[in-house]
């Protein structure tokens, strides 16, 4: 018996008709991105066993977060106010910086998708806080109260908070010290080439004036460096 040819794809009209030959899958809940992000930050492999201690821990943490969307240049944390929240980035770029009374800005770090951001330093949790956190691009974030988040981790016992906290603390300290070392020992052109090699996505998403501040050069110098390397992206 002659078989009918099998089409390599379904006509678009079949989607509108909800054709019986199409297998429909329920979309993943919004919280899936949150739980996946938290499990990655804590080094936990999610499983189908909802009763496992690690699974319950991640679910408990997830219950503390609320999803929000912010526009570019939205201030999330400001100096002279206690840093109050924890942020998990689902989409977007945030910048961590300090700003002097005269308005001079020193950018310390950029955070992107999957990063968990919280007040690493004790002073940041008081009114003596000098750090600011602002959205560079429109961003989708999961936000939780820092005190509640820390209490939930501490409740795991056995120094759970200290083990978690030291990882980000060391990472931020290492990145900061390395950047300062490069400013002191490398010419601007070499630092710019390292920026291109190590953070190619930031070059595409972050305005030039902010990258210049992070690199430790004035915008005019950054523009010359970009032209010298043939990077033709428009200035921000």
């Amino acid at each position: 018996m002659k078989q009918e040819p099998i089409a390599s794809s379904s006509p678009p009209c079949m989607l509108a008709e909800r054709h019986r030959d199409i297998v429909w899958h329920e979309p993943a809940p919004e919280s899936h991105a949150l739980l996946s992000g938290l499990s990655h930050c804590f080094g936990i492999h999610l499983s189908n066993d909802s009763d496992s201690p690690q699974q319950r821990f991640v679910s408990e943490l997830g219950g503390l977060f609320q999803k929000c969307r912010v526009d570019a240049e939205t201030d999330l944390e400001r100096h002279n106010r206690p840093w109050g929240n924890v942020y998990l980035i689902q989409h977007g770029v945030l910048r961590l910086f300090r700003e002097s009374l005269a308005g001079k800005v020193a950018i310390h770090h950029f955070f992107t998708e999957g990063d968990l951001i919280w007040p690493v330093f004790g002073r940041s949790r008081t009114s003596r806080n000098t750090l600011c956190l602002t959205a560079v691009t429109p961003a989708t974030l999961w936000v939780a109260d820092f005190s509640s988040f820390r209490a939930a981790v501490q409740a795991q016992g056995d120094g759970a908070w200290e083990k978690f906290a030291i990882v980000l603390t060391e990472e931020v300290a290492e990145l900061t010290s390395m950047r300062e070392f490069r400013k002191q020992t490398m010419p601007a052109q070499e630092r710019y080439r390292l920026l291109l090699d190590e953070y190619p996505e930031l070059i595409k998403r972050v305005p030039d004036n902010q990258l210049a501040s992070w690199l430790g050069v004035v915008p005019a110098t950054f523009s010359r460096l970009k032209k010298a390397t043939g990077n033709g992206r428009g200035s921000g």
Side-chain angles (χ1 to χ4, degrees), residues 143-155:
V143 185
D145 174 72
F146 170 71
S147 296
S148 301
F149 175 84
R150 181 173 58 177
V153 179
Q154 288 174 330

Side-chain angles (χ1 to χ4, degrees), residues 12-219:
C13 60
M14 292 178 67
L15 297 177
E17 296 172 359
R18 297 191 68 85
H19 196 279
R20 62 183 176 82
D21 291 336
I22 297 178
V23 178
W24 296 89
H25 297 282
E26 291 297 324
E30 286 191 333
S31 60
H32 180 75
L34 169 65
L35 298 181
S36 295
L38 289 173
S39 64
H40 176 75
C41 292
F42 282 88
I44 295 173
H45 176 68
L46 290 180
S47 66
N48 294 324
D49 182 7
S50 59
D51 292 328
S52 70
Q54 289 187 325
Q55 198 86 356
R56 290 200 304 270
F57 169 60
V58 173
S59 296
E60 179 184 350
L61 284 183
L64 301 176
F65 285 79
Q66 296 292 325
K67 190 175 184 179
C68 73
R69 294 180 174 86
V70 298
D71 295 327
E73 296 306 313
T74 297
D75 291 331
L76 302 169
E77 302 289 345
R78 293 294 297 171
H79 52 221
N80 299 327
R81 293 186 296 188
W83 182 314
N85 294 318
V86 179
Y87 304 87
L88 179 65
I89 304 177
Q90 182 171 325
H91 179 75
V93 181
L94 309 184
R95 72 178 180 272
L96 181 70
F97 64 99
R98 285 184 170 93
E99 184 176 3
S100 71
L101 294 176
K104 186 175 181 180
V105 172
I107 297 178
H108 300 300
H109 196 60
F110 291 102
F111 296 94
T112 58
E113 286 81 5
D115 286 336
L116 186 69
I117 312 160
W118 49 275
V120 172
F121 307 110
R123 177 172 177 168
S124 301
R125 305 164 202 165
T126 72
S127 58
R128 297 182 300 149
N129 174 38
T130 59
L131 289 170
C132 305
L133 185 69
T134 296
V136 175
T137 67
T140 301
L141 309 171
W142 292 92
V143 185
D145 174 72
F146 170 71
S147 296
S148 301
F149 175 84
R150 181 173 58 177
V153 179
Q154 288 174 330
Q156 299 301 302
D158 195 27
W161 173 256
E162 289 74 14
K163 293 176 183 177
F164 164 74
I166 194 65
V167 174
L168 183 58
T169 304
E170 289 182 343
E171 179 182 354
V172 171
E174 173 64 19
L175 290 172
T176 300
S177 62
M178 179 57 70
R179 189 163 54 253
E180 289 303 314
F181 171 76
R182 289 176 175 177
K183 287 181 182 178
Q184 298 295 327
T185 61
M186 292 182 179
Q189 185 174 19
E190 189 171 351
R191 300 203 308 273
Y192 179 76
R193 290 189 179 278
L194 286 172
L195 175 65
L196 294 178
D197 292 340
E198 296 175 355
Y199 301 97
E201 284 301 312
L202 290 184
I203 295 292
K204 301 174 183 177
R205 304 171 73 184
V206 176
D208 288 353
N209 63 320
Q210 295 181 27
L211 292 173
S213 174
W214 193 37
L215 197 63
V217 299
V218 297

